PDB file of all heavy atoms in Angstrom:
ATOM      1  N   ASP V 470      -1.400  21.887  29.532  1.00  0.00           N
ATOM      2  CA  ASP V 470      -2.415  22.379  30.457  1.00  0.00           C
ATOM      3  C   ASP V 470      -3.473  21.299  30.643  1.00  0.00           C
ATOM      4  O   ASP V 470      -4.245  21.004  29.725  1.00  0.00           O
ATOM      5  CB  ASP V 470      -3.037  23.659  29.888  1.00  0.00           C
ATOM      6  CG  ASP V 470      -4.023  24.294  30.868  1.00  0.00           C
ATOM      7  OD1 ASP V 470      -4.313  23.674  31.907  1.00  0.00           O
ATOM      8  OD2 ASP V 470      -4.497  25.407  30.576  1.00  0.00           O
ATOM      9  N   CYS V 471      -3.515  20.703  31.832  1.00  0.00           N
ATOM     10  CA  CYS V 471      -4.431  19.593  32.079  1.00  0.00           C
ATOM     11  C   CYS V 471      -5.891  20.011  31.957  1.00  0.00           C
ATOM     12  O   CYS V 471      -6.753  19.179  31.667  1.00  0.00           O
ATOM     13  CB  CYS V 471      -4.175  19.001  33.473  1.00  0.00           C
ATOM     14  SG  CYS V 471      -2.573  18.170  33.606  1.00  0.00           S
ATOM     15  N   SER V 472      -6.168  21.305  32.168  1.00  0.00           N
ATOM     16  CA  SER V 472      -7.560  21.759  32.081  1.00  0.00           C
ATOM     17  C   SER V 472      -8.095  21.704  30.662  1.00  0.00           C
ATOM     18  O   SER V 472      -9.306  21.738  30.444  1.00  0.00           O
ATOM     19  CB  SER V 472      -7.674  23.192  32.615  1.00  0.00           C
ATOM     20  OG  SER V 472      -6.915  24.089  31.794  1.00  0.00           O
ATOM     21  N   LYS V 473      -7.181  21.626  29.677  1.00  0.00           N
ATOM     22  CA  LYS V 473      -7.596  21.580  28.277  1.00  0.00           C
ATOM     23  C   LYS V 473      -7.452  20.177  27.692  1.00  0.00           C
ATOM     24  O   LYS V 473      -7.522  19.999  26.480  1.00  0.00           O
ATOM     25  CB  LYS V 473      -6.772  22.574  27.458  1.00  0.00           C
ATOM     26  CG  LYS V 473      -6.977  24.019  27.868  1.00  0.00           C
ATOM     27  CD  LYS V 473      -6.156  24.948  27.005  1.00  0.00           C
ATOM     28  CE  LYS V 473      -6.367  26.398  27.422  1.00  0.00           C
ATOM     29  NZ  LYS V 473      -5.553  27.347  26.609  1.00  0.00           N
ATOM     30  N   MET V 474      -7.230  19.192  28.546  1.00  0.00           N
ATOM     31  CA  MET V 474      -7.056  17.814  28.081  1.00  0.00           C
ATOM     32  C   MET V 474      -8.297  16.997  28.422  1.00  0.00           C
ATOM     33  O   MET V 474      -8.944  17.215  29.448  1.00  0.00           O
ATOM     34  CB  MET V 474      -5.817  17.189  28.722  1.00  0.00           C
ATOM     35  CG  MET V 474      -4.521  17.910  28.384  1.00  0.00           C
ATOM     36  SD  MET V 474      -3.082  17.256  29.258  1.00  0.00           S
ATOM     37  CE  MET V 474      -2.832  15.719  28.407  1.00  0.00           C
ATOM     38  N   VAL V 475      -8.602  16.059  27.541  1.00  0.00           N
ATOM     39  CA  VAL V 475      -9.761  15.181  27.730  1.00  0.00           C
ATOM     40  C   VAL V 475      -9.267  13.853  28.300  1.00  0.00           C
ATOM     41  O   VAL V 475      -8.387  13.210  27.705  1.00  0.00           O
ATOM     42  CB  VAL V 475     -10.493  14.940  26.399  1.00  0.00           C
ATOM     43  CG1 VAL V 475     -11.653  13.966  26.596  1.00  0.00           C
ATOM     44  CG2 VAL V 475     -10.987  16.256  25.809  1.00  0.00           C
ATOM     45  N   PRO V 476      -9.787  13.414  29.442  1.00  0.00           N
ATOM     46  CA  PRO V 476      -9.379  12.114  29.988  1.00  0.00           C
ATOM     47  C   PRO V 476      -9.675  10.991  28.989  1.00  0.00           C
ATOM     48  O   PRO V 476     -10.764  10.936  28.413  1.00  0.00           O
ATOM     49  CB  PRO V 476     -10.230  11.979  31.251  1.00  0.00           C
ATOM     50  CG  PRO V 476     -10.632  13.373  31.606  1.00  0.00           C
ATOM     51  CD  PRO V 476     -10.763  14.100  30.309  1.00  0.00           C
ATOM     52  N   ALA V 477      -8.720  10.114  28.802  1.00  0.00           N
ATOM     53  CA  ALA V 477      -8.889   9.037  27.827  1.00  0.00           C
ATOM     54  C   ALA V 477     -10.097   8.168  28.153  1.00  0.00           C
ATOM     55  O   ALA V 477     -10.811   7.695  27.247  1.00  0.00           O
ATOM     56  CB  ALA V 477      -7.622   8.193  27.756  1.00  0.00           C
ATOM     57  N   GLU V 478     -10.341   7.939  29.451  1.00  0.00           N
ATOM     58  CA  GLU V 478     -11.447   7.067  29.845  1.00  0.00           C
ATOM     59  C   GLU V 478     -12.804   7.620  29.409  1.00  0.00           C
ATOM     60  O   GLU V 478     -13.762   6.863  29.257  1.00  0.00           O
ATOM     61  CB  GLU V 478     -11.429   6.846  31.355  1.00  0.00           C
ATOM     62  CG  GLU V 478     -10.313   5.933  31.833  1.00  0.00           C
ATOM     63  CD  GLU V 478     -10.389   4.539  31.219  1.00  0.00           C
ATOM     64  OE1 GLU V 478     -11.500   3.988  31.148  1.00  0.00           O
ATOM     65  OE2 GLU V 478      -9.341   4.023  30.800  1.00  0.00           O
ATOM     66  N   LYS V 479     -12.874   8.926  29.197  1.00  0.00           N
ATOM     67  CA  LYS V 479     -14.128   9.537  28.742  1.00  0.00           C
ATOM     68  C   LYS V 479     -14.486   9.072  27.333  1.00  0.00           C
ATOM     69  O   LYS V 479     -15.646   9.120  26.932  1.00  0.00           O
ATOM     70  CB  LYS V 479     -13.999  11.062  28.780  1.00  0.00           C
ATOM     71  CG  LYS V 479     -15.291  11.799  28.428  1.00  0.00           C
ATOM     72  CD  LYS V 479     -15.107  13.302  28.500  1.00  0.00           C
ATOM     73  CE  LYS V 479     -16.377  14.027  28.077  1.00  0.00           C
ATOM     74  NZ  LYS V 479     -16.213  15.507  28.122  1.00  0.00           N
ATOM     75  N   THR V 480     -13.490   8.613  26.578  1.00  0.00           N
ATOM     76  CA  THR V 480     -13.728   8.196  25.193  1.00  0.00           C
ATOM     77  C   THR V 480     -13.996   6.694  25.078  1.00  0.00           C
ATOM     78  O   THR V 480     -14.239   6.201  23.974  1.00  0.00           O
ATOM     79  CB  THR V 480     -12.521   8.547  24.303  1.00  0.00           C
ATOM     80  OG1 THR V 480     -11.400   7.710  24.660  1.00  0.00           O
ATOM     81  CG2 THR V 480     -12.126   9.996  24.464  1.00  0.00           C
ATOM     82  N   ARG V 481     -13.931   5.971  26.177  1.00  0.00           N
ATOM     83  CA  ARG V 481     -14.088   4.516  26.116  1.00  0.00           C
ATOM     84  C   ARG V 481     -15.518   4.148  25.708  1.00  0.00           C
ATOM     85  O   ARG V 481     -16.490   4.708  26.220  1.00  0.00           O
ATOM     86  CB  ARG V 481     -13.746   3.874  27.447  1.00  0.00           C
ATOM     87  CG  ARG V 481     -13.759   2.341  27.410  1.00  0.00           C
ATOM     88  CD  ARG V 481     -13.422   1.747  28.770  1.00  0.00           C
ATOM     89  NE  ARG V 481     -12.042   2.024  29.151  1.00  0.00           N
ATOM     90  CZ  ARG V 481     -11.000   1.304  28.751  1.00  0.00           C
ATOM     91  NH1 ARG V 481     -11.181   0.263  27.941  1.00  0.00           N
ATOM     92  NH2 ARG V 481      -9.777   1.602  29.160  1.00  0.00           N
ATOM     93  N   VAL V 482     -15.630   3.192  24.790  1.00  0.00           N
ATOM     94  CA  VAL V 482     -16.929   2.722  24.286  1.00  0.00           C
ATOM     95  C   VAL V 482     -16.927   1.202  24.276  1.00  0.00           C
ATOM     96  O   VAL V 482     -15.917   0.573  23.935  1.00  0.00           O
ATOM     97  CB  VAL V 482     -17.209   3.242  22.855  1.00  0.00           C
ATOM     98  CG1 VAL V 482     -18.528   2.685  22.326  1.00  0.00           C
ATOM     99  CG2 VAL V 482     -17.233   4.760  22.826  1.00  0.00           C
ATOM    100  N   GLU V 483     -18.051   0.598  24.657  1.00  0.00           N
ATOM    101  CA  GLU V 483     -18.211  -0.857  24.576  1.00  0.00           C
ATOM    102  C   GLU V 483     -19.564  -1.166  23.955  1.00  0.00           C
ATOM    103  O   GLU V 483     -20.558  -0.491  24.235  1.00  0.00           O
ATOM    104  CB  GLU V 483     -18.104  -1.501  25.955  1.00  0.00           C
ATOM    105  CG  GLU V 483     -18.216  -3.025  25.922  1.00  0.00           C
ATOM    106  CD  GLU V 483     -17.923  -3.678  27.258  1.00  0.00           C
ATOM    107  OE1 GLU V 483     -16.999  -3.219  27.955  1.00  0.00           O
ATOM    108  OE2 GLU V 483     -18.627  -4.648  27.599  1.00  0.00           O
TER     109      GLU V 483
END
Side-chain angles (χ1 to χ4, degrees):
D470 185 353
C471 292
S472 64
K473 297 181 180 179
M474 299 175 73
V475 177
E478 287 300 317
K479 185 179 177 181
T480 69
R481 186 180 293 277
V482 177
E483 182 172 321

